[in-house]
Amino acid sequence: MSADALGFDARLHMYAELNADDGSGFNAVAKRVTDGRDVGRFLVEFWRSIAEVEHEYSRSLLKVVHSPEASFAKSTLLGLFAKDPLLEIGTLQAAWARTKTELEAIARQHSALAKCIEAQVTSPLNAFVDDGSVVQQRLNEGRQMVNELKVLQNRVAQDKARWDKATREADMAHTKYSKAQMTNTPYDKMQKLQASLGGLQADATAAEHRFLQSNDELRQLTYAVCTTRLPPLLNELQKSEQAPVGVARTSPTPFAAVLPTVCPVFNTASSATLRSRDALDPPAATV
């Protein structure tokens, strides 16, 4: 098991640190998962830019190939040859047409590469990023559990403080009452001290009961969160934390798979261009 996986498991059993900001609590878990989604967004933008570059190159190349300046029939070359009917223009025109055909093929291949990136790389990455709403929901569920613990922990601390205060007041009243018993204090005053002592002792007993009750609730909630509610959530978030690495690893695969199809197009274009060049007949094109 990886260190990161052990980190999840360790946090599972240390509920007191779940809401810490020092890298050991649930906030750290949420940050790691959120950072993973940011990696996905970066990859989406990166591959989208690559696809746009391929599209733009394809469009620009086709624009040049189909421009009037690239048309043999409209070029100054044909005008020069037309001045002398004896000049051979067939082989030159065929070579020029072949060159344009191969350039068109290269442009189409760049367009195909761009579409492949969009369909097989960018789209799956987008799906991964869009799935972040589900992950966010799980993070919110985890934060809610942590908040429940934190609220109850605060209540226990407050109940403990009230119990301590009530106990001190009852102890002080008991000391005062004991001293009064040893100093021949008037009966009516003793009655008041006794009544005050009884009330303070009752308050201390009630405060102790509230503390024990809230502390027991905290123990039960902690047990439920750490053994039943939180483990499946943390396991799911662990997968979400690891998912960006898997996505980053698989995203270039379709791109790499289509690259070998690009090379044959360039090889074919090179061979065809060279053949059309060799088909040129310079002697026939001279007077």
Side-chain angles (χ1 to χ4, degrees):
M1 185 178 290
S2 67
D4 287 341
L6 288 173
F8 273 90
D9 188 60
R11 294 186 196 103
L12 175 63
H13 301 289
M14 300 178 69
Y15 73 90
E17 298 182 0
L18 283 173
N19 204 39
D21 293 319
D22 60 357
S24 61
F26 190 83
N27 287 344
V29 176
K31 185 177 186 307
R32 288 171 65 87
V33 173
T34 303
D35 288 347
R37 297 289 143 177
D38 290 340
V39 170
R41 294 185 184 90
F42 164 79
L43 290 172
V44 168
E45 292 305 317
F46 173 81
W47 286 110
R48 183 178 290 153
S49 298
I50 296 297
E52 181 54 35
V53 167
E54 293 292 339
H55 273 308
E56 182 58 31
Y57 181 79
S58 176
R59 290 191 293 265
S60 298
L61 185 55
L62 287 174
K63 182 178 179 180
V64 172
V65 171
H66 296 154
S67 66
E69 292 79 4
S71 174
F72 189 88
K74 299 179 181 179
S75 68
T76 56
L77 288 174
L78 183 60
L80 292 174
F81 281 108
K83 294 179 180 179
D84 191 337
L86 297 178
L87 292 178
E88 170 62 44
I89 64 172
T91 56
L92 179 59
Q93 185 173 7
W96 184 244
R98 171 55 61 183
T99 299
K100 291 175 59 178
T101 297
E102 298 308 324
L103 288 173
E104 287 178 351
I106 291 173
R108 286 194 299 270
Q109 191 61 37
H110 278 282
S111 178
L113 180 59
K115 292 176 182 177
C116 170
I117 293 172
E118 291 171 339
Q120 299 184 42
V121 180
T122 307
S123 291
L125 283 171
N126 263 325
F128 166 74
V129 172
D130 291 342
D131 188 51
S133 58
V134 177
V135 175
Q136 189 61 47
Q137 181 181 348
R138 297 293 179 269
L139 289 175
N140 290 338
E141 291 173 6
R143 292 188 183 100
Q144 180 60 34
M145 293 181 201
V146 171
N147 188 60
E148 288 178 36
L149 285 170
K150 188 174 182 179
V151 168
L152 196 48
Q153 287 169 350
N154 290 338
R155 199 176 95 195
V156 169
Q158 292 172 359
D159 287 345
K160 179 64 165 58
R162 292 190 185 101
W163 178 33
D164 289 342
K165 182 174 180 292
T167 300
R168 287 194 303 271
E169 291 176 348
D171 289 343
M172 291 173 60
H174 184 270
T175 300
K176 188 175 182 180
Y177 180 75
S178 297
K179 288 181 179 180
Q181 283 181 317
M182 294 184 293
T183 57
N184 296 320
T185 303
Y187 177 77
D188 59 338
K189 189 172 182 181
M190 288 294 298
Q191 289 288 348
K192 291 180 180 178
L193 289 174
Q194 187 177 19
S196 175
L197 174 60
L200 290 173
Q201 287 177 332
D203 290 344
T205 300
E208 179 185 13
H209 177 73
R210 285 192 296 271
F211 164 70
L212 293 176
Q213 184 177 21
S214 60
N215 195 51
D216 186 60
E217 290 177 16
L218 177 59
R219 283 198 299 268
Q220 292 182 29
L221 179 61
T222 300
Y223 181 81
V225 167
C226 292
T227 61
T228 306
R229 296 171 57 186
L230 199 57
L233 179 64
L234 288 180
N235 287 336
E236 187 174 347
L237 290 177
Q238 181 179 352
K239 293 177 182 177
S240 296
E241 180 185 4
Q242 295 170 347
V245 179
V247 171
R249 183 180 180 183
T250 58
S251 62
T253 303
F255 177 73
V258 79
L259 282 180
T261 67
V262 176
C263 294
V265 172
F266 280 85
N267 291 337
T268 300
S270 174
S271 299
T273 302
L274 291 175
R275 286 196 303 270
S276 64
R277 178 205 64 184
D278 295 339
L280 285 170
D281 188 0
T286 58
V287 178

